[in-house]
Amino acid sequence: MPQICICSQFTSSPIDQFNKDPKAFPVATNGEMFPWHELRLPTVVIPLHYDLLIHPNLTSLDFVASEKIEVLVRDATQFIILHSKDLEILNASLQSEEDVRYKKPGENLTVLSYPAHQQIALLVPEKLRAHLRYSVAIDFQAKLADGFEGFYKSTYRTLGGETRTIAVTDFEPTEARMAFPCFDEPLFKANFSIKIRRESRHIALSNMPKVKTIELEGGLLEDHFETTVRMSTYLVAYIVCDFTSVSGTASSGVKVSIYASPDKWSQTHYALEASLKLLDFYENYFDIHYPLPKLDLVAIPDFASGAMENWGLITYRETSLLFDPKTSSTSDKLWVTKVIAHELAHQWFGNLVTMEWWNDIWLNEGFARYMELISLNITYPELQFDDSFSNTCFEVIKRDSLNSSHPISNEAKTATQIKEMFDAVSYNKGACILNMLKDFLSEETFRKGIIHYLKKFTYRNAKNDDLWHSLSNNCLEGDSTSGGFCYSDSRKTSNTLAFLRENVELKEMMATWTLQKGIPLVVVKREGRSLRLQQERFLSGVFKEDPEWGTLQERWYLWHIPVTYSTSSSQAIHRHILKLKTDTVDLSEKTDWVKFNVDSNGYYIVHYEGQGWDELITLLNQNHTLLRPKDRLGLIHDAFQLVSAGRLTLDKALDLTRYLQHETSIPALLKGLEYLELFYRMVERRNISDVTENLKHYLLQYFKPVIDTQSWLDEGSVWDRMLRSTVLKLACYLNHAPCIQKATELFSQWMESSGKLNIPTDVLTIVYSVGAQTTAGWNYLLEQYELSLSGAEKNKILYALSTSKHQEKLMKLIELGMEGKVIKTQDLATLLFTTARNPKGQQLAWNFVKENWTHLLKKFELGSFPIRMIISGTTSHFSSKDELQEIGFQVKVFPSFQNGKSG
C-alpha cells in the first residue's frame, strides 16, 4: 500500500479540546453536545477502505444502502467524525481487528448529527486505541436527490413518448456525503469496493469493471465491481440505467465505452474515436499508463455542468459528448472534442494526483484546460485549436480585471465557497499562466517537470509549491543534471534556461501569479533605443482619475512578468523578466515599432504610451502581415480592454480595426467583429437610434465583401466555417436583406418538409432565429424542440426561440424552463442568459430573477455554476449607474444574492 501521510491540523487531540471547553462546541439535533466544532474533519481517524452496497429503487425514487469503512486510528479518540448530508442513519456499529478476525458482532454506536456542518459523530463506548484498525458499519437510506448533486434521479423521453428514470451520481466537490457517510475531503484517499442492486431491465456502472453478478430473491441482481485504486471520495461514481454503448480498445489494452440512452446510440461514435485517440496521446505524453482496465464515458440527460471526471466512469451533459452529423456544427464538434480532452486529462491531473484542498483546485482544472491545447494540437490539428486558445485567456481577463476577482489559489472553507472556486479564474487563468510558464521554460523542460510531478505524487495529494518544486527540479532517474535542472543531454537546452537559473526563483515568481488576484498592465514607452517599462494592476471600469484607483493599486504587490517582444528590425523573440515597478530595456538597434507579448502567450495587457499605438496602427494599415496573426489578435483585444479602463480612447481602438477588411487571419477578424458587435448591442440597448442606425450601416458596408463571399454550405476549414456562422448571424441580426431572404427561404423549405430537410449545420442557428420571428415559425420550432433527439439541435432551437421580439413568448419559455418538463431545468440558466441578450428580454429576465430568487435557489445550489451563470447573464449587459445601484439593492434584500454574483 502506498505510504499514507495526513498531517494533523491541530496541536492537541480532539478529545483534549472537547474536555477543556465543551461549551465551545455545537449542539447536535438531539440536544446533546456535538464533539467537533471545525468545518474540516479531524485527522485522528483516516479511512483505508470502503465496502459499499447500494440499492436504488427507480420507482419509489429512493435508495437503501450499507457500508463498512476500514479506518486507521492515529491518536486515541472516543468518537469518529464523518460527513453526512440528507441521509437517514438507521444504525452504526464498530468492530476491532480482533472482532473481525473472530467474527464477533460489532458494538452499537451512538450517532449524533450536526447538519450545519454536514457532519455526524459516532460515539464509541471505549476509547479507540492509536495505531489500530477498526471497521465501522453503517446502514442508511435516503431519497434520490431532485437536483444535480449527490445520488440523483435523471429522466429522458423515448421516441415513443415514454419517460424513463435513471439514477446517477455527481459528487464534486462536496456531495459524496449525500450518497454515503464518508470522509468527504480530497486528502482522505481510500480504496472502494462497490456492489449495486438493480432490476434485470437495468445495467449498473461504476468506476471499475464488473467482476460478477449474483441473482437475488425477487428477481433482483447484485453487481460486484473490482476494488478501486486509492482515490478521493469526490471521484466515486455509480449509475443505474438502461443505456446502450459502443466500445473500442486503446493501444494499451484499455477498453473504452461510450454510453447513451438507446435512441441516441447513433450519436456516440465520434466520442469513441476521439476518446481512443486522446487516451493514447495522454499515456504517451505523461509516460504513465492509465491505471484502470476500462474507461466509460456516459451521456447523462440531466447534468448541471459540462462533465465530471469520475475515475473510470466520466459523466457528461449530452451536448458535451454526443455528436449528430445532421445537426451538430463545427463549433459543436470542437466543443465535444475539447470536453473529452479535458476530462481525460483529469485522469492524471486530479485523479492520479489530487490537490490537498479545494483552495488549489486550479491544479486540477487549470491543468486540464491547458492540456486541451496540448492534446488537440497533436491529435486533431485540423481543428486548429491553437488559434482559439487565446480566447481562453481573453475570457478570464474580463473577470480578473474586476476588483471582485480572487487569487487562483484562494481560501475556501464552506461548501458554498468551495463551489465558487470552480470558475474562470481556476480554469482559464490557471491554464493561461501554465501556457505562459511553458513558453518561458521551453516545452521540453515544462513537460519533463509535469511528468516528474505526476510520478512523484502518484495516488497522493499535492499543493502549489509541489508543482513549482517539480518544475524547478525535474530530475528523474537516468537524467543528467546541471545546477538543479535536468536536460535531455549534458548541454543547456536553451539560453532561457540558463537565464532562468541565474535570475529566477520559480516558486517566488509563480507566487505573484497564484497568490494575488488580478492581471498586470505593462506600460511601454519607447525613447530612442531604450524601452521604459512600468507595471501596475489593470482595473476594468476604474479610471486613473477615480479616487479608489490609487488605493486599489497600493495594496497590490508586484508580478514577476516574463515579457516578450519583437521589433521592426528583428524577427527574433526578445525576453525580459519585469520584476520591478519600473525598468528599462536597451535595444541593440534603432526600430520603427515594438510589439510586446509575442503570440499573446503572456497573461498581461500592454499599453503603448507616446506614439506607440499610432505606430502600430500605421503598420497594420500599411502591411499587417509584418505582425504575427496572434499579435494582431492580441492588439485588438488589448486596445478595447484599455478603453474599458479609460487608458485608450474609443476612437483610437476603432482606428485600429480599420485594417480588418484586409485581415487574412480569421481569429483576428472575428475578434474585431466581436468588439464592434458588442459596441452595437450596447448602443442598441440604450435606444440611441441615430447612432444605432449609423453603426449598423457602417458594419454592413465595411464588411460587405466578407458577408457577400459567404456560402450557405458546410465547407472549408474549421475557421472558414466559424467565420461563416458568425458573419451571417450578425448580418441577419442587422436585418441585412439578402441574409434574411436566404434564411427565410431555407426555413420555409424546412417547415414544408416537416423538419426532415437537412439544413447546413453552420447556418442552422441563423435559419432557426430568422424563422422564430413569426408566430407560426416560433410555434413550429417549439414543437420540433420537444421532438428532437439531438441536444445540439435543441440548443440551437432554444437560442432561436429566445430571440423573439414578443415578450409573452419569452415569458412562456422561462416558465417552461422553471417547470422543467419541455425545457429541462439544466437549460434554464442558458435560457435566461440568452433571453437577457435580447433587447426585448433583458429587463424581463432580470425581473424574473429578482422575483424568483428563492425558487431558483431550490433548483440550484448557492455558489453553483448555474446560479453564477444566471446572475452574470442577466446583469452583464448593465452599463449605467442606476442599473448598478439596482444590483446593490438586490444584494441588500437577498443577502444570498451576493454569493451568486460572479463579478
Side-chain angles (χ1 to χ4, degrees), residues 152-205:
Y152 70 94
K153 63 179 181 291
S154 174
T155 61
Y156 72 92
R157 285 181 64 186
T158 66
L159 266 175
E162 178 191 356
T163 298
R164 294 183 182 176
T165 302
I166 70 168
V168 59
T169 59
D170 192 57
F171 292 160
E172 189 180 34
T174 58
E175 272 69 49
R177 64 195 69 173
M178 292 176 68
F180 57 97
C182 56
F183 298 79
D184 200 13
E185 295 178 6
L187 198 59
F188 292 108
K189 291 194 171 188
N191 303 95
F192 296 81
S193 299
I194 295 174
K195 304 180 188 72
I196 300 175
R197 289 181 180 171
R198 60 177 173 86
E199 296 179 30
S200 58
R201 62 194 172 101
H202 294 129
I203 62 169
L205 302 170

Side-chain angles (χ1 to χ4, degrees), residues 165-389:
T165 302
I166 70 168
V168 59
T169 59
D170 192 57
F171 292 160
E172 189 180 34
T174 58
E175 272 69 49
R177 64 195 69 173
M178 292 176 68
F180 57 97
C182 56
F183 298 79
D184 200 13
E185 295 178 6
L187 198 59
F188 292 108
K189 291 194 171 188
N191 303 95
F192 296 81
S193 299
I194 295 174
K195 304 180 188 72
I196 300 175
R197 289 181 180 171
R198 60 177 173 86
E199 296 179 30
S200 58
R201 62 194 172 101
H202 294 129
I203 62 169
L205 302 170
S206 189
N207 303 85
M208 300 295 287
K210 185 170 65 175
V211 177
K212 63 181 177 180
T213 299
I214 298 174
E215 290 191 28
L216 306 175
E217 290 183 11
L220 283 179
L221 301 175
E222 184 176 284
D223 293 331
H224 294 217
F225 297 88
E226 281 185 30
T227 300
T228 70
V229 295
R230 286 188 74 237
M231 64 186 196
S232 304
T233 48
Y234 78 89
L235 294 170
V236 174
Y238 37 88
I239 301 169
V240 175
C241 63
D242 62 345
F243 288 179
T244 54
S245 66
V246 58
S247 300
T249 305
S251 299
S252 57
V254 176
K255 182 182 179 182
V256 178
S257 302
I258 315 297
Y259 286 84
S261 58
D263 293 333
K264 297 177 181 177
W265 178 85
S266 62
Q267 301 175 42
T268 59
H269 295 84
Y270 175 71
L272 178 63
E273 173 208 310
S275 301
L276 290 168
K277 190 180 286 191
L278 286 160
L279 186 62
D280 286 345
F281 168 80
Y282 282 133
E283 289 193 308
N284 176 65
Y285 185 87
F286 294 135
D287 191 30
I288 301 171
H289 283 303
Y290 172 76
L292 309 188
K294 64 92 174 174
L295 176 62
D296 298 334
L297 294 78
V298 188
I300 306 298
D302 299 280
F303 205 78
S305 60
M308 174 57 208
E309 66 268 17
N310 316 299
W311 215 344
L313 184 62
I314 309 174
T315 45
Y316 292 78
R317 185 179 280 227
E318 289 183 333
T319 50
S320 298
L321 186 66
L322 304 182
F323 181 82
D324 176 18
K326 292 181 180 178
T327 58
S328 298
S329 67
T330 188
S331 295
D332 295 326
K333 190 172 194 176
L334 180 59
W335 171 251
V336 167
T337 317
K338 268 178 54 178
V339 179
I340 292 173
H342 184 100
E343 303 309 322
L344 263 62
H346 271 313
Q347 307 304 295
W348 286 265
F349 281 102
N351 299 9
L352 190 66
V353 179
T354 312
M355 74 278 141
E356 281 192 4
W357 184 245
W358 301 107
N359 61 302
D360 279 334
I361 186 59
W362 84 274
L363 289 174
N364 289 17
E365 300 300 349
F367 256 113
R369 183 130 300 169
Y370 167 76
M371 289 309 301
E372 294 171 18
L373 169 68
I374 302 302
S375 62
L376 295 192
N377 279 351
I378 301 298
T379 57
Y380 284 94
E382 69 274 16
L383 292 179
Q384 299 173 282
F385 184 62
D386 185 59
D387 290 330
S388 63
F389 183 77

